[in-house]
């Protein structure tokens, strides 16, 4: 018997129809989600020229600081249970607005598709803890009529993961020449006598009379300028491997931290209760920011072939039938370039995890299968306002600005703090950047066109899987203006 049949009945059209409403109610505890600060987006059969609506990015960030994962409304209106957000993109019903979704995809505009019964079916399975443990805890389990035999006892399989000392995750990748430089820098660690290897080289050179101290430092600076890696750069995260049970336990602990403030945190919250302008309480900061976080990853290679060694998870294609290129739903989820599908990539987030702002060079369909994630989106025309790391940087394509630590808008220079003045002097165009946001709920699928910027906040423990399919080129010139 298949493992999913031990938990849920076999999937059929009749079963899906009967269970669909209950699944929707279970997934969407708060109904349709967060109310819009402005009017709801207008969603005609084809997108208008000014779609999607955008607002000043600093207003979006100050309305809800990304380090704060509390989704409750800060107003006293009991009917408004969830925070109001700057929602600018349309949410289409899979059954009644399918053609609209196809039209917006063809126009390369972002949108969310909701109420797809096949997505809900996967989501309901994945929200059974026992199912996920069995699915991911076995090392190359044997197949039994297309399913996993739960009686097969094998060692737990490890997958890719990322580790950060705080809740921020900045993507990075070193080129071959950068790897050599980084490895050499790591060798310049403390020597036995307490000095560094650089200091040792300086003493030896001066001792031989070959060079003066000033000339040595000048030579060292010239060497660093020629290096392909920025001076002082350190990898923002560590690439590791871990099993699902290990990650799941840590993610649950993080959710508990969010729900159970310490006495000290409670006291600070009480002191700040009358301060309606506080974006993030100290309790939220201490619990969500400066503690270790882990990002768990799965990859199904599909037509790409062997892409992740023996850690690939090809069962993702049977788990997410809607992302399979040979299924009817793929017209919406993969478009016309199904042969260019770049596998299925899953990232499981802990509460508070932030993926820094960046763009990707391909079309992207993003399914949220558990929990909630907040997406802040910007058009490619905002490239020059977002201050991206250059093409040669390990974190190329990413904004170098910490969006969770943005000061107030530029005002009177005489009243601005030193921090505010320094920020606006360094990033003068950021105050002009525009964006909108959406909170994805379990069962939602977001279409993100090529080169659109996105900043992601995990509001709780969540499972997200995405697939990419080809590239569009209408906004390439905007990205090229930023040196890419």
């Amino acid at each position: 018997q298949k493992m999913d049949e031990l938990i849920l009945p076999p999937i059929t059209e009749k079963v899906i129809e009967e269970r669909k409403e209950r699944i929707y109610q279970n997934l969407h505890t708060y109904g349709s989600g967060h109310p819009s600060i402005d009017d709801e987006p207008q969603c005609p059969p084809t997108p208008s020229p000014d779609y999607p609506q955008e607002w000043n990015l600093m207003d979006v960030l100050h309305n809800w600081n990304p380090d704060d994962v509390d989704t409750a409304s800060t107003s006293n209106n009991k009917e408004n249970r969830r925070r109001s957000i700057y929602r600018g993109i349309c949410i289409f019903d899979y059954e009644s607005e399918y053609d609209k979704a196809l039209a917006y995809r063809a126009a390369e505009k972002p949108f969310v598709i909701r109420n797809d019964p096949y997505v809900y079916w996967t989501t309901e399975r994945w929200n059974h803890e026992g199912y996920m443990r069995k699915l991911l805890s076995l090392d190359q389990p044997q197949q039994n009529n297309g399913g996993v035999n739960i009686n097969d006892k094998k060692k737990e399989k490890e997958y890719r993961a990322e580790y950060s000392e705080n809740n921020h995750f900045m993507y990075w990748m070193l080129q071959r020449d950068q790897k050599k430089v980084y490895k050499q820098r790591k060798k310049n660690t403390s020597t036995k006598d307490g000095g560094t290897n650089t200091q040792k080289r300086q003493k030896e050179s001066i001792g031989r009379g070959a060079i003066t101290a000033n000339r040595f430092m000048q030579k060292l600076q010239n060497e660093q300028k020629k290096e392909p890696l920025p001076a002082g750069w350190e990898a923002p995260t560590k690439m590791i491997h871990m099993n699902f049970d290990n990650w799941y336990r840590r993610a649950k602990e993080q959710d508990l931290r969010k729900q159970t403030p310490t006495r000290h945190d409670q006291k600070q919250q009480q002191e700040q209760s009358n301060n309606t302008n506080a974006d993030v309480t100290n309790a939220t900061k201490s619990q969500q920011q400066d503690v270790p976080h882990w990002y768990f990853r799965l990859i199904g290679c599909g037509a790409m072939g062997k892409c992740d060694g023996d850690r690939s998870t090809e069962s993702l294609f049977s788990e997410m039938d809607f992302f399979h290129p040979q299924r009817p739903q793929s017209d919406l989820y993969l478009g016309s370039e199904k042969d260019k599908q770049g596998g299925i990539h899953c990232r499981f987030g802990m509460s508070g995890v932030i993926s820094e702002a960046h763009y990707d060079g391909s079309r992207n369909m993003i399914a949220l299968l558990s929990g909630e994630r907040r997406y802040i989106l910007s058009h490619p025309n905002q490239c020059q306002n977002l201050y991206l790391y250059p093409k040669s940087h390990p974190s190329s394509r990413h904004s170098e600005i910490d969006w969770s630590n943005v000061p107030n808008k530029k005002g009177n220079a005489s009243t601005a703090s030193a921090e505010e003045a320094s920020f606006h002097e360094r990033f003068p165009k950021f105050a002009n950047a525009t964006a909108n946001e959406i909170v994805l709920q379990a069962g939602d699928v977001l279409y993100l066109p090529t080169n659109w910027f996105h900043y992601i906040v995990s509001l709780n423990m969540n499972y997200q899987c995405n697939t990419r399919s080809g590239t569009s080129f209408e906004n390439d010139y905007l990205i090229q203006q930023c040196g890419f």
Side-chain angles (χ1 to χ4, degrees), residues 78-282:
K78 293 183 179 179
E79 295 181 0
N80 212 3
R81 297 178 62 193
R82 308 211 84 186
R83 285 179 182 268
S84 296
I85 62 173
Y86 289 93
R87 181 164 78 84
I89 66 174
C90 295
I91 299 175
F92 294 126
D93 181 88
Y94 179 85
E95 295 189 338
S96 63
E97 298 178 296
Y98 186 88
D99 289 339
K100 274 188 180 182
L102 284 177
Y104 278 62
R105 177 179 176 118
E108 297 297 344
K109 300 294 184 180
F111 62 89
V112 169
I113 193 77
R114 179 173 287 177
N115 201 30
D116 181 342
Y118 286 90
V119 177
Y120 282 172
W121 188 257
T122 301
T123 302
E124 188 177 26
R125 279 204 313 275
W126 280 34
N127 278 272
H128 280 271
E129 178 183 338
Y131 183 80
M132 293 304 288
R133 286 178 178 273
K134 292 295 183 182
L135 179 68
L136 298 176
S137 294
L138 301 179
D139 183 13
Q140 301 297 332
Q142 296 180 0
Q143 298 296 312
N144 180 12
N145 296 325
V148 179
N149 188 335
I150 65 172
N151 294 319
D152 290 339
K153 293 183 180 180
K154 302 202 174 192
K155 65 178 182 180
E156 293 186 358
K157 184 177 180 179
E158 291 193 333
Y159 301 86
R160 288 193 190 195
E162 296 174 51
Y163 167 81
S164 175
E165 294 182 354
N166 53 47
N167 63 319
H168 287 252
F169 284 74
M170 173 74 78
Y171 171 86
W172 60 276
M173 178 179 288
L174 295 177
Q175 302 302 321
R176 181 179 299 178
D177 54 346
Q178 292 175 328
K179 289 180 180 178
K180 293 179 180 179
V181 173
Y182 192 55
K183 186 176 181 180
Q184 182 60 42
R185 286 185 186 175
K186 285 297 183 182
K187 290 183 178 180
N188 290 336
T189 55
S190 297
T191 57
K192 291 182 180 180
D193 62 358
T196 65
N197 285 339
T198 300
Q199 293 169 338
K200 185 177 180 181
R201 281 177 53 201
Q202 180 179 0
K203 290 177 181 179
E204 290 175 349
S205 297
I206 297 173
R208 293 195 304 268
I211 192 171
T212 65
N214 288 339
R215 288 185 60 193
F216 175 85
M217 294 307 299
Q218 184 63 50
K219 180 182 178 182
L220 185 63
Q221 291 172 3
N222 290 337
E223 289 176 356
Q224 292 175 343
K225 288 179 180 179
K226 296 177 183 178
E227 289 180 352
L229 197 62
W233 182 86
E234 289 288 340
T237 63
K238 293 180 181 179
M239 305 302 177
I240 61 173
H241 296 98
M242 68 191 308
N243 61 54
F244 174 75
D245 279 351
N246 190 359
W247 175 85
Y248 185 85
R249 175 176 56 82
R250 296 175 186 275
K252 281 293 188 182
E253 289 173 354
Q254 180 65 4
D255 272 351
L256 288 174
R257 271 195 210 100
K258 168 186 169 183
Q259 299 167 8
T260 313
T262 64
R263 291 182 181 178
H264 175 69
D265 293 330
Q266 290 174 335
K267 181 180 178 181
Q268 290 182 323
Q269 283 181 307
Q270 182 64 35
E271 292 173 351
Q272 293 186 349
S273 60
N274 296 324
N275 182 5
T276 57
N277 294 323
D279 289 325
V280 188
T281 65
N282 288 337

Side-chain angles (χ1 to χ4, degrees), residues 14-52:
K14 182 180 179 180
V15 169
I16 288 179
E17 190 62 32
E18 291 174 348
R19 298 170 67 88
K20 183 177 61 178
E21 185 63 29
R22 184 175 63 79
I23 292 173
Y24 180 87
Q25 291 175 355
N26 288 344
L27 296 178
H28 297 156
T29 309
Y30 295 97
S32 60
H34 292 257
S36 298
I37 284 180
D38 215 327
D39 294 334
E40 293 289 328
Q42 297 299 308
C43 303
T46 57
S48 61
D50 59 349
Y51 175 88

Side-chain angles (χ1 to χ4, degrees), residues 348-385:
F348 297 178
M350 302 169 63
S351 177
V353 162
I354 288 176
S355 179
E356 306 290 0
H358 65 284
Y359 76 87
D360 295 313
S362 56
R363 302 184 184 95
N364 210 345
M365 270 289 183
I366 303 161
L368 193 66
L369 302 173
S370 180
E372 291 187 318
R373 285 195 181 197
R374 177 188 179 198
Y375 271 75
I376 301 177
L377 309 177
S378 286
H379 192 282
N381 62 18
Q382 296 302 302
C383 183
Q384 297 190 49
N385 293 333

Side-chain angles (χ1 to χ4, degrees), residues 464-482:
Q464 173 193 287
C465 296
N466 68 287
T467 189
R468 295 171 182 155
S469 56
T471 302
S472 61
F473 303 98
E474 68 279 354
N475 291 315
D476 269 11
Y477 75 99
L478 296 169
I479 300 298
Q480 290 169 2
Q481 291 174 1
C482 289

Side-chain angles (χ1 to χ4, degrees), residues 338-352:
K338 301 175 186 178
D339 59 324
K340 295 182 180 179
Q341 184 184 24
I344 296 177
H345 300 257
C346 299
R347 289 175 172 82
F348 297 178
M350 302 169 63
S351 177

